[in-house]
Amino acid sequence: MVAREFFRSPSFNKYGDFPARIKEAAIFAPTKFMLRLVAILTVLISLWFPSAMMGQSRFTISGEVRDATTGESLIGALVGVKDRSKGVATNVYGFFSLTLPSGDYSITATLVGYETDVRTIVLNADQRIVIELKPKVYEQKTIVIEAEGKTNTESTDIGKIELEVEQIKKLPVLLGEIDILKTISLLPGVQSAGEGNAGFYVRGGGIDQNLILLDNSVVYNASHLFGFFSVFNADAVKNLELTKGGVPANYGGRLASVLDINLKEGNAKDYNGAGGIGTVASRFTVEGPIKKDTSSFIISGRRTYIDALVKPFIKPESNFSGSGYYFYDLNAKFNYRISRRDQLFISGYFGRDVFSFSSASAGFKTHIPWGNATATLRWNRVVNERLFMNTLLTFTDYKFEFKAAQESFTFGLKSGIRDYGAKVQWSYYPDYRHNIKFGFDYTFHDFTPNNTYASSGDTQFDLGPRVHLYSHEAALYAMDEFDLTEDFRISAGIRLSHFIHVGPFDRYIPKEETSLFGQPAEPEIIHYEKGKKIKSYTGPEPRLSMRYTLDKNSSIKLGYMRNYQYIHLTSLSPSSLPTDVWLPSTDVMRPQKGWQLSLGYFRNFDNDQWESSVEIYYKDMQNVSEYREGAQPQQTVKDNIDNLLVFGRGYSYGAEFFLKRRIGKLNGWAGYTWSKTERVFDEINDGNPYPARWDRRHDVSFVANYQLSKRVEFGFVFVYGTGNAITLPLERYFIEGRVVDIYGARNSFRMAPYHRADISCTIHQKTVKRKKDKISGEIIERPKRFKSNWNFSVYNLYNRKNPYFIYFGTNGQLTNGTLQVRAYQVSLFPVLPSITWNFEF
């Protein structure tokens, strides 16, 4: 009856002409239609799912699993029937739903590091419960060994790795700064972009092919200080997971991987603080309840003080007076539990890097700020015992700006990307064998490619109008993870994505002929009005993962995924820098398309204390882009950047070996990757395949943490990787007093291998205080409210001079025949010790 009245309402009749409206929605205008359509689906689903379950003899236990001390939702807790195989895991929001026949059950909830909760439930009706798990407390001299179960072998996840933030904090760090991205690069199949470079590469994909999410908002530049540190403050991070193969259908928009990071929700029971004072930066986090067990907050900030430390040592008359660098970032999150079924979250991130340089003698100044801002508004609703809904509004803004001035001349450049997004996600749990997800994503992109301006005194130079590129991206998806048999589990899904580039836009069409004076002829310009469709693309993206259990300790997994990527990162530099420009797919630049097939063998042994896996993969990528030979930055003035690009194909294949011990006195992992990544462009390297610059044949990582005692622990990291591929001149000729280089094939030279060892020692303060009872004389131990530790780290322990780049210099004179050309290697970091004081209360 409610649905009937809804469809009779004026708001629905306004969109009664469905054929016309569907055509209108296909080009994403107006967006109100899609939002109303999502609202209609929400109403229909909410009404249909309860009626679909009526008359069944089964009932559902649903609810949340939380930390008893903080109120934080717990991810991946196993809720099931005691001594039976029936069970489910909580989702990323701590929700679970378990449907069983009527009867009496002992329900257990377990998670590594927490006491097991067991309760008896008489199931004769649907029930909703909240389970609070207490963290385990161990005796002072006890070394704990406990396994986390068989998730490694039982799930359909292939190419997916979860990392604990607490484990990341124990590893050696550069200059005392905990770095999530550096830790990610220690995993098999993941390669660091190198010292001084931002981002990471996954299974042969480019940096732009990684989807990085912070509370569901996209982060486009994830590094500070040109790649030396990541933008993620570990004190504010709740969990992170990297998926590099078998990406499920609820993720899209990138070809290589998904790095999904969730912020802490804030302690809903008590006030806490944490922080650290390091060699180059300090950080501080505070969290607590706004209303106990109902709402909470967390605020976390970080800032470097290199500029403040160096400034007193720079004399006012120095050429570097006024120069400096610093970065800062701020995370904040608030949540409010509206009712037993509804919860609201608001989270945000803001970070900036600021670099300035001043030369008093030359009268030259430059100012370079860049950074990210993100915001997420999330509404979680338990529609009924089996249906969970998550609705999000997201915002992302990345900006880069370069300003330079010398005497009366000024020059500037701006670039960036801004996104406005909306997501509606449903999870339906018909029984413990099925986990169905479906939903809708929408993003409006506003790209700012390189916009330049220049002036001399009062004279403004005409460098063309300021350019903004606009586009809409949307997708529908559905997936189901289910047990075909006890041994055979399948996760199958489909994602249908759509993208449209819209005006205002000017398309420059170059002409081959030249003008009367030998200059290139003025290009033809096609103008598109605001909102006018320029080009649209649609792509189906099937996803499939399967697991077959061989025995109680091992399984085989297979994964296939097809992806479309509608946005692109262009760079004239061999390194990834903040100056790189994001662009949408256009009528010239088609979307990147890729598919990947992976196969793995997974095995646990020694009572599940050890996990191991071997995975092989093949990946194919189409419509990848590069700047054409000889392209220069100034050519983008009064032209489209995509006119300077060429397009080709890439492919990568390899094998990954992984061994992990997550628990015990000695824990960590070892990984090895053998891989090959090549690119093929008709216009580059005479059409012959050539290695991508991040092609790395061998990649080895070893990570260990050793707990010497309850107060002292050591961390160790060793990495080795084949040198990066670069292009160098093979021959040099002296023509009319000039040196002319003859280059070899593209990326045909290898730099020296990269290898490094780091070590750390963490010394904890005593966590309990002893007090003698005056009456009984008994010694009473109480936990301290304030806790702290000292971390001592040494980066690049044996002072390896790893190559950053190679340049050529000359010695001698050409006239007397003594001229010599020599290659020089530049390295960045020698051995670097650091000390950090960490605290919490």
Side-chain angles (χ1 to χ4, degrees):
M1 188 67 182
V2 177
R4 187 178 303 154
E5 292 301 320
F6 177 84
F7 286 112
R8 288 176 177 175
S9 67
S11 60
F12 180 80
N13 289 335
K14 181 179 177 181
Y15 291 91
D17 184 8
F18 262 77
R21 288 294 172 180
I22 291 176
K23 182 178 179 181
E24 186 178 21
I27 62 171
F28 300 103
T31 57
K32 287 184 179 180
F33 172 79
M34 287 181 293
L35 295 177
R36 289 175 183 262
L37 183 60
V38 170
I40 294 170
L41 290 174
T42 303
V43 173
L44 290 175
I45 291 167
S46 301
L47 294 173
W48 181 81
F49 274 110
S51 63
M53 295 183 290
M54 292 177 62
Q56 297 179 1
S57 58
R58 298 180 301 166
F59 299 100
T60 300
I61 307 167
S62 64
E64 296 177 65
V65 179
R66 305 175 191 164
D67 186 305
T69 58
T70 66
E72 289 257 2
S73 60
L74 295 178
I75 304 169
L78 299 177
V79 181
V81 179
K82 186 177 181 180
D83 299 327
R84 299 190 193 180
S85 61
K86 297 179 180 180
V88 294
T90 56
N91 66 9
V92 71
Y93 309 110
F95 177 79
F96 72 91
S97 177
L98 180 62
T99 300
L100 299 165
S102 59
D104 297 347
Y105 296 96
S106 291
I107 300 299
T108 64
T110 60
L111 185 63
V112 174
Y114 289 85
E115 301 284 351
T116 298
D117 181 275
V118 182
R119 59 184 66 191
T120 300
I121 291 180
V122 178
L123 192 60
N124 52 20
D126 291 337
Q127 297 187 34
R128 177 167 169 77
I129 59 176
V130 175
I131 301 174
E132 292 193 335
L133 298 183
K134 298 179 180 179
K136 286 186 176 179
V137 179
Y138 305 105
E139 294 296 328
Q140 182 76 12
K141 297 181 180 180
T142 301
I143 298 298
V144 181
I145 297 179
E146 62 172 348
E148 64 169 330
K150 300 179 180 296
T151 305
N152 179 55
T153 57
E154 291 184 349
S155 74
T156 58
D157 298 330
I158 182 169
K160 179 179 176 180
I161 300 177
E162 298 182 19
L163 289 177
E164 295 79 21
V165 177
E166 292 305 314
Q167 186 177 26
I168 294 175
K169 290 181 178 180
K170 297 176 182 179
L171 299 180
V173 292
L174 172 63
L175 297 177
E177 283 303 297
I178 301 166
D179 196 322
I180 288 176
L181 292 189
K182 288 287 192 299
T183 307
I184 290 293
S185 66
L186 299 175
L187 300 171
V190 185
Q191 300 168 5
S192 168
E195 292 173 345
N197 294 300
F200 55 95
Y201 304 100
V202 177
R203 290 185 172 179
I207 286 177
D208 64 319
Q209 294 177 354
N210 301 311
L211 178 62
I212 302 177
L213 298 173
L214 181 64
D215 267 1
N216 281 278
S217 291
V218 177
V219 176
Y220 283 100
N221 186 291
S223 297
H224 286 304
L225 191 54
F226 304 101
F228 292 121
F229 306 113
S230 75
V231 301
F232 306 111
N233 186 346
D235 287 343
V237 173
K238 179 179 181 179
N239 76 296
L240 64 151
E241 60 181 34
L242 175 73
T243 307
K244 54 189 177 175
V247 174
N250 54 315
Y251 295 108
R254 301 295 188 274
L255 297 190
S257 73
V258 177
L259 176 59
D260 197 351
I261 301 173
N262 291 291
L263 296 176
K264 292 179 179 177
E265 298 166 4
N267 193 320
K269 296 181 179 294
D270 197 6
Y271 293 97
N272 295 102
I277 300 174
T279 310
V280 297
S282 291
R283 65 190 191 277
F284 182 72
T285 301
V286 61
E287 59 180 319
I290 300 173
K291 182 179 180 181
K292 191 172 182 179
D293 293 326
T294 302
S295 63
S296 62
F297 74 93
I298 180 170
I299 300 175
S300 183
R302 178 176 59 163
R303 192 194 190 279
T304 57
Y305 33 71
I306 305 173
D307 53 331
L309 293 176
V310 174
K311 189 175 182 179
F313 300 97
I314 300 179
K315 296 180 180 180
E317 63 274 13
S318 170
N319 287 335
F320 298 100
S321 178
S323 302
Y325 168 82
Y326 64 90
F327 73 76
Y328 61 89
D329 43 37
L330 177 69
N331 295 93
K333 190 169 184 177
F334 305 88
N335 76 86
Y336 179 69
R337 194 172 299 277
I338 303 171
S339 68
R340 294 179 68 249
R341 291 183 177 270
D342 300 276
Q343 191 168 7
L344 195 66
F345 299 83
I346 301 175
S347 62
Y349 165 84
F350 183 82
R352 281 290 179 270
D353 290 67
V354 180
F355 174 79
S356 59
F357 175 78
S358 177
S359 175
S361 60
F364 177 78
K365 295 181 180 180
T366 183
H367 182 69
I368 310 175
W370 73 93
N372 302 276
T374 70
T376 303
L377 174 62
R378 187 176 85 224
W379 170 39
N380 287 353
R381 176 167 177 76
V382 179
V383 181
N384 57 54
E385 287 72 16
R386 303 187 190 183
L387 184 63
F388 181 87
M389 185 179 72
N390 187 39
T391 305
L392 302 108
L393 297 176
T394 61
F395 170 79
T396 296
D397 187 29
Y398 170 69
K399 293 180 180 178
F400 171 83
E401 186 172 3
F402 173 88
K403 302 177 183 177
Q406 187 168 23
E407 296 179 350
S408 62
F409 178 78
T410 61
F411 174 80
L413 179 148
K414 293 182 178 180
S415 65
I417 178 172
R418 177 176 291 181
D419 289 349
Y420 302 89
K423 300 179 182 180
V424 182
Q425 304 166 336
W426 288 280
S427 297
Y428 175 54
Y429 307 89
D431 56 44
Y432 74 94
R433 289 182 177 271
H434 284 268
N435 183 355
I436 300 173
K437 296 180 181 180
F438 49 97
F440 169 82
D441 299 345
Y442 168 77
T443 304
F444 173 73
H445 299 288
D446 178 1
F447 298 85
T448 305
N450 284 340
N451 283 331
T452 55
Y453 57 90
S455 65
S456 181
D458 296 331
T459 304
Q460 298 288 332
F461 297 102
D462 181 15
L463 301 180
R466 293 191 176 184
V467 178
H468 283 261
L469 305 177
Y470 303 98
S471 60
H472 303 268
E473 183 176 356
L476 294 167
Y477 69 87
M479 57 182 290
D480 184 15
E481 185 173 9
F482 60 95
D483 290 320
L484 197 62
T485 67
E486 288 294 331
D487 296 327
F488 195 20
R489 187 168 180 83
I490 296 176
S491 176
I494 183 69
R495 183 181 182 91
L496 182 64
S497 58
H498 185 71
F499 184 90
I500 178 170
H501 178 208
V502 297
F505 177 68
D506 289 332
R507 165 57 67 193
Y508 291 82
I509 303 178
K511 295 182 179 179
E512 295 183 1
E513 64 268 18
T514 58
S515 66
L516 181 64
F517 301 100
Q519 299 295 322
E522 288 292 326
E524 178 185 351
I525 301 177
I526 301 176
H527 178 72
Y528 295 88
E529 296 294 338
K530 180 180 179 180
K532 178 70 175 178
K533 172 185 171 181
I534 301 168
K535 185 67 175 178
S536 64
Y537 300 94
T538 301
E541 305 177 32
R543 314 286 173 84
L544 178 66
S545 297
M546 296 183 291
R547 179 226 68 205
Y548 183 76
T549 301
L550 299 175
D551 54 46
K552 66 178 183 178
N553 293 318
S554 62
S555 63
I556 294 176
K557 300 181 185 181
L558 176 72
Y560 171 83
M561 64 178 186
R562 180 177 176 84
N563 303 73
Y564 279 74
Q565 180 169 329
Y566 297 101
I567 65 175
H568 314 257
L569 185 67
T570 62
S571 175
L572 277 168
S573 169
S575 302
S576 177
L577 297 172
T579 53
D580 298 346
V581 177
W582 288 93
L583 294 173
S585 294
T586 64
D587 53 336
V588 172
M589 182 184 295
R590 300 176 62 82
Q592 300 179 63
K593 296 186 292 184
W595 62 269
Q596 178 180 301
L597 184 66
S598 51
L599 177 67
Y601 173 72
F602 297 77
R603 183 173 181 83
N604 291 3
F605 50 94
D606 196 10
N607 294 322
D608 296 322
Q609 295 183 35
W610 294 83
E611 297 177 1
S612 65
S613 64
V614 179
E615 294 184 49
I616 58 175
Y617 70 91
Y618 181 88
K619 178 188 292 184
D620 184 88
M621 298 161 282
Q622 299 177 29
N623 300 330
V624 294
S625 61
E626 293 274 5
Y627 276 95
R628 58 177 167 81
E629 300 282 5
Q632 298 295 326
Q634 63 269 21
Q635 292 177 284
T636 61
V637 177
K638 295 185 178 182
D639 199 352
N640 305 121
I641 293 180
D642 55 12
N643 285 334
L644 305 180
L645 303 176
V646 293
F647 307 96
R649 174 177 170 255
Y651 55 88
S652 179
Y653 53 89
E656 301 166 2
F657 302 84
F658 189 52
L659 178 65
K660 178 181 179 181
R661 191 172 194 242
R662 188 176 178 180
I663 40 80
K665 189 174 181 180
L666 175 65
N667 58 75
W669 69 83
Y672 169 72
T673 304
W674 183 97
S675 63
K676 186 173 184 178
T677 304
E678 292 191 325
R679 296 285 190 264
V680 182
F681 288 77
D682 291 338
E683 299 85 351
I684 298 177
N685 205 44
D686 297 324
N688 297 315
Y690 63 90
R693 63 175 179 267
W694 55 88
D695 172 56
R696 193 171 295 172
R697 196 70 68 246
H698 304 283
D699 193 86
V700 179
S701 61
F702 179 77
V703 178
N705 181 265
Y706 179 72
Q707 188 174 351
L708 181 65
S709 67
K710 197 66 178 178
R711 294 181 56 199
V712 181
E713 55 189 331
F714 293 91
F716 179 77
V717 170
F718 174 78
V719 293
Y720 173 90
T722 303
N724 288 343
I726 60 174
T727 305
L728 293 179
L730 295 179
E731 299 175 342
R732 279 190 161 84
Y733 296 93
F734 299 99
I735 302 176
E736 297 180 356
R738 295 184 300 109
V739 178
V740 178
D741 295 328
I742 305 298
Y743 284 87
R746 173 69 70 100
N747 293 343
S748 58
F749 182 82
R750 290 281 179 178
M751 290 174 125
Y754 182 98
H755 54 88
R756 188 192 79 242
D758 311 325
I759 193 170
S760 69
C761 175
T762 303
I763 302 175
H764 296 268
Q765 175 200 30
K766 291 182 179 179
T767 58
V768 296
K769 55 184 177 181
R770 292 181 172 90
K771 188 176 180 179
K772 186 176 182 179
D773 187 272
K774 294 181 180 180
I775 300 176
S776 65
E778 182 183 359
I779 301 297
I780 301 174
E781 290 187 351
R782 293 180 179 176
K784 289 184 177 181
R785 176 73 175 175
F786 187 90
K787 303 174 184 178
S788 66
N789 66 73
W790 289 91
N791 178 272
F792 304 89
S793 293
V794 180
Y795 183 88
N796 197 4
L797 181 63
Y798 51 86
N799 198 28
R800 163 70 176 175
K801 292 179 173 59
N802 287 302
Y804 178 53
F805 66 83
I806 294 174
Y807 73 95
F808 291 87
T810 58
N811 294 315
Q813 298 293 324
L814 177 63
T815 54
N816 59 16
T818 61
L819 182 66
Q820 292 182 337
V821 180
R822 295 186 59 186
Y824 296 89
Q825 174 183 295
V826 175
S827 301
L828 287 181
F829 294 129
V831 55
L832 286 175
S834 64
I835 182 172
T836 305
W837 179 59
N838 301 299
F839 59 89
E840 60 179 90
F841 57 90

